[in-house]
Amino acid sequence: MKDVFLNGDFLPAEQAKVSVLDRGFLLGDGVYEVIPVYAGHCFQLSGHLLRLQNSLDGVRMANPYSLEQWTDLIEKLVERNGGGDQAVYLQVTRGVAPRDHVFPEGVEPTAFVMSNPLKAVPEKYKREGIVAITVPDIRWQNCNIKAITLLPNSLLKQQAQDAGAQEALLIRDGYLTEGSASNAYAVIKGVIYTAPKDEKVLPGITRDLVITTAEKAGINLVEEAVSETQLATADEIWVSSSTKEILPITTLNNKAVGEGVPGAVWQKMDALYQQLKHGAF
Ligand code: PDD
């Protein structure tokens, strides 16, 4: 069994216990991060820890650790669990208190970190692309906060799964926001479109990399949401996340996207992303 980190201690996962009165358990009152680890090295750790701070600020919760402390404990856990490729999951909840909607006073937050082997992205997804459906974005109005309250995202992802798709693309007021667990992109006439950073989308760390990589590589990218109509006729559609990297969607709502195969702009972006992962771009 792998080790986890809980409130200052490293211990085997089966020995880690949290109170049933934890506000994460009772109210979903917490925030989280997922950080990919390649060959024992955390990828884009400072970006993830900065976003964690923003999420904590967004829900008025104190950060239990400094940037240096987080870095140190995450690196220690990765090493204890054997290095290699891992996915680190960290969660901070408001802590243990009698159930009440109002914030408790003088309560220590619960800090939990685990790491699991990072599943390689299936070659088939890269060769053939994935299937997606569009669904109404039923989430709340602070999607920029990486909250553990994932019931809407889970319902939407399950809806996709039930329809034989791998991802649900979310539509709010007629525009594409993001995926149920990913940021989303449309390529139209050689230009990449992705929704701007606001409260309708999570500011993805992979999304940041797509933006800077496009800039460096001289590919046009605009932070502008596409309409459902534009999406239906886009040449390429992609999604990105820390665990799934950048994936092409080749079937949307039972119709082929572009030529129905991963597009040329995605091929280029994926190649650059693979170099980035290995510190070579
Ligand atoms: N989710 N948007 C949503 C709603 C997400 O849940 C995620 C990632 C992203 C991509 O963000 P990033 O590139 O920083 O991983 C966008 C993680 C992987 C998860 O919930 O498991």
Side-chain angles (χ1 to χ4, degrees):
M1 190 39 109
K2 298 267 182 218
D3 282 354
V4 300
F5 172 92
L6 181 63
N7 297 332
D9 297 318
F10 293 96
L11 69 174
E14 68 272 19
Q15 287 173 24
K17 301 274 187 283
V18 179
S19 164
V20 290
L21 294 184
D22 193 277
R23 287 177 62 95
F25 180 60
L26 292 178
L27 302 165
D29 185 2
V31 299
Y32 77 106
E33 277 297 325
V34 178
I35 305 148
V37 175
Y38 299 114
H41 299 288
C42 294
F43 189 54
Q44 303 294 315
L45 182 57
S46 55
H48 283 277
L49 292 177
L50 184 65
R51 186 174 63 187
L52 173 68
Q53 184 64 59
N54 290 338
S55 294
L56 288 165
D57 292 345
V59 298
R60 298 163 59 189
M61 219 184 267
N63 196 335
Y65 302 118
S66 68
L67 205 67
E68 293 70 32
Q69 285 171 317
W70 276 118
T71 305
D72 183 58
L73 73 90
I74 290 169
E75 286 176 351
K76 279 199 179 114
L77 186 70
V78 166
E79 206 183 311
R80 285 173 89 99
N81 287 339
D85 291 359
Q86 300 181 24
V88 169
Y89 173 90
L90 77 82
Q91 165 172 321
V92 182
T93 76
R94 206 178 300 273
V96 177
R99 184 179 181 276
D100 189 339
H101 288 61
V102 174
F103 300 164
E105 272 175 33
V107 165
E108 291 290 313
T110 302
F112 170 63
V113 190
M114 64 178 167
S115 79
N116 291 299
L118 178 62
K119 283 191 218 133
V121 176
E123 270 310 309
K124 186 175 159 25
Y125 287 180
K126 294 180 140 209
R127 218 174 36 242
E128 298 173 9
I130 62 167
V131 176
I133 55 169
T134 50
V135 293
D137 191 343
I138 56 169
R139 302 172 303 159
W140 69 332
Q141 299 193 2
N142 295 100
C143 296
N144 54 318
I145 298 171
K146 204 162 170 58
I148 60 171
T149 333
L150 286 177
L151 189 53
N153 304 64
S154 178
L155 285 167
L156 295 167
K157 186 83 160 200
Q158 187 60 43
Q159 199 178 332
Q161 167 108 352
D162 293 345
Q166 282 85 38
E167 183 55 302
L169 294 185
L170 314 184
I171 306 291
R172 188 173 284 204
D173 300 329
Y175 286 84
L176 171 66
T177 53
E178 58 181 341
S180 70
S182 56
N183 289 110
Y185 312 79
V187 180
I188 301 170
K189 296 190 172 69
V191 179
I192 308 168
Y193 292 82
T194 192
K197 271 189 191 175
D198 59 20
E199 69 293 341
K200 295 195 224 42
V201 300
L202 184 80
I205 305 302
T206 321
R207 176 187 176 282
D208 281 346
L209 290 176
V210 168
I211 293 174
T212 51
T213 302
E215 203 166 60
K216 273 203 246 172
I219 309 170
N220 273 328
L221 183 147
V222 287
E223 293 183 65
E224 209 178 284
V226 293
S227 69
E228 208 173 352
T229 325
Q230 286 174 299
L231 186 68
T233 55
D235 303 314
E236 298 183 26
I237 303 172
W238 320 335
V239 284
S240 76
S241 82
S242 293
T243 48
K244 298 282 167 24
E245 304 183 356
I246 309 162
L247 287 178
I249 291 170
T250 46
T251 305
L252 181 67
N253 297 334
N254 295 316
K255 288 203 333 237
V257 176
E259 306 286 308
V261 290
V265 186
W266 174 80
Q267 303 274 5
K268 196 166 172 181
M269 183 58 70
D270 180 58
L272 294 169
Y273 189 78
Q274 297 309 319
Q275 289 179 35
L276 259 181
K277 260 172 66 180
H278 300 106
F281 182 71

